[in-house]
Amino acid sequence: QSDLTQPPSVSGSPGQSITISCTGTSSDVGKYDLVSWYQQHPGKAPKLIIYEVNKRPSGASNRFSGSKYANTASLTISGLQTEDEADYYCCSYAISDSWVFGGGTKLTVL
Amino acid sequence: EVQLVESGGGLVQPGGSQRLSCAASGFTFSHYWMHWVRQGPGKGLVWVSRINSDGANAVYADSVKGRFTISRDNAKNTLDLQMNSLRDEDTAVYFCVGGWNYKFDLWGQGTLVTVSS
């Protein structure tokens, strides 16, 4: 049950787009289309923003989109807004009926 | 309004035990898988355990297997986590999470467990 690999930080200016990668293995990201993404503001609980690689839950902004190729999933945020500044975590269902998270990426909106 | 309210956190000595509880309301608790996810101080999210909707099946992360036990009471809409043989590295905020189809939909605000002498 190893962590998925995310960049520690990314940054962008308002209005720009950024992409956060999430690299796993053939036992998790590569095996299942069950990657989800979570946004966490400081001191708050995480919030689901993408599930099953590229689906948005009700209420999530359409500026969030997801994709996957082989063992790597990606989250793209378009039209960056100041309120997007937060930590982002990917997560994948994995073999042995378990879940594994990425280490998290801190997004700074300059 | 959907609510998940954790309780039971606090300071515990290494080797000790602690029981966390989560009270659910505002949704059909018995339909959801329930999980515990933890977050160490300044660290990332870590999945801890899952119990299925009827409570018949539970799975655990390797780091807690044999020490933690998850349980639920669908009549009372509650989820518990019994934690034994606690270690320093178990220090974290523990989130109660409701999940549907392999994702984490509903989150509580968390309860802090500090393992220290």
Side-chain angles (χ1 to χ4, degrees), chain A:
Chain A
Q1 295 171 342
S2 300
D3 284 355
L4 306 178
T5 301
Q6 297 181 233
S9 64
V10 297
S11 63
S13 300
Q16 288 186 331
S17 294
I18 62 95
T19 296
I20 299 172
S21 61
C22 169
T23 301
T25 69
S26 57
S27 296
D28 38 63
V29 175
K31 187 172 181 66
Y32 305 101
D33 286 337
L34 294 172
V35 175
S36 51
W37 290 87
Y38 302 85
Q39 176 192 60
Q40 186 180 33
H41 288 106
K44 300 293 188 181
K47 174 187 173 184
L48 175 69
I49 56 174
I50 292 287
Y51 68 99
E52 291 176 11
V53 176
N54 55 16
K55 298 178 182 177
R56 277 188 307 276
S58 172
S61 172
N62 59 8
R63 297 183 298 103
F64 296 120
S65 62
S67 62
K68 190 188 91 166
Y69 178 75
N71 295 339
T72 298
S74 298
L75 171 71
T76 297
I77 308 175
S78 58
L80 272 178
Q81 300 179 1
T82 54
E83 59 261 37
D84 297 331
E85 187 160 296
D87 294 326
Y88 291 84
Y89 294 90
C90 61
C91 182
S92 178
Y93 181 67
I95 60 172
S96 302
D97 201 7
S98 62
W99 283 258
V100 59
F101 280 95
T105 298
K106 181 177 181 61
L107 169 62
T108 301
V109 181
L110 303 168

Side-chain angles (χ1 to χ4, degrees), chain B residues 42-90:
Chain B
K43 296 187 178 180
L45 302 172
V46 176
W47 173 79
V48 172
S49 180
R50 179 229 86 201
I51 188 166
N52 68 343
S53 54
D54 67 6
N57 177 260
V59 288
Y60 302 89
D62 289 344
S63 58
V64 306
K65 202 172 294 182
R67 300 188 298 124
F68 289 12
T69 302
I70 191 172
S71 60
R72 68 189 295 164
D73 185 333
N74 285 346
K76 296 181 178 178
N77 288 354
T78 58
L79 174 74
D80 288 339
L81 184 69
Q82 176 65 42
M83 305 185 295
N84 298 330
S85 303
L86 283 162
R87 306 166 180 168
D88 290 350
E89 56 264 34
D90 295 319

